[in-house]
Amino acid sequence: QVQLVESGGGLVQAGGSLRLSCTASGDTFRNYAMAWFRQAPGKEREFVATMRGTTTHYADSVKGRFTISRDNAKNTVYLQMNSLKPEDTAVYFCAAGPISSVIESRYDYWGQGTQVTVSS
């Protein structure tokens, strides 16, 4: 079992930056692939980024602007978001699973989400 808690969301102007954190407890953190997904109002949840070991993969919409990283000693995964756009506004969720995937059903554990709002 893994429990995930996100933090770091908030309100930011377009062009600004935020760093989200997701801290895990329970099982051995380093064994899991970690990912970020997001859900905008009225839309389905979508893949943002994933990381297993040192291998990362990003959605095209965030490539070059967002960076996923992890600190296994702190059981924490981060999402550094730069050059934010109003269309990045969403609830951001972290997820843990056995393999990296863009498919949300491949992840076994989810956090409660943190709101990111980007004003124009």
Side-chain angles (χ1 to χ4, degrees), residues 92-104:
Y92 283 71
F93 299 88
C94 72
I99 61 171
S100 281
S101 175
V102 302
I103 303 172
E104 61 178 281

Side-chain angles (χ1 to χ4, degrees), residues 11 17 25 30 33 42 44 54 66-67 79 87 89 94 120:
L11 173 64
S17 298
S25 61
R30 65 171 54 86
E44 293 186 352
T54 58
F66 290 11
T67 302
L79 185 68
E87 51 263 44
T89 295
C94 72
S120 56

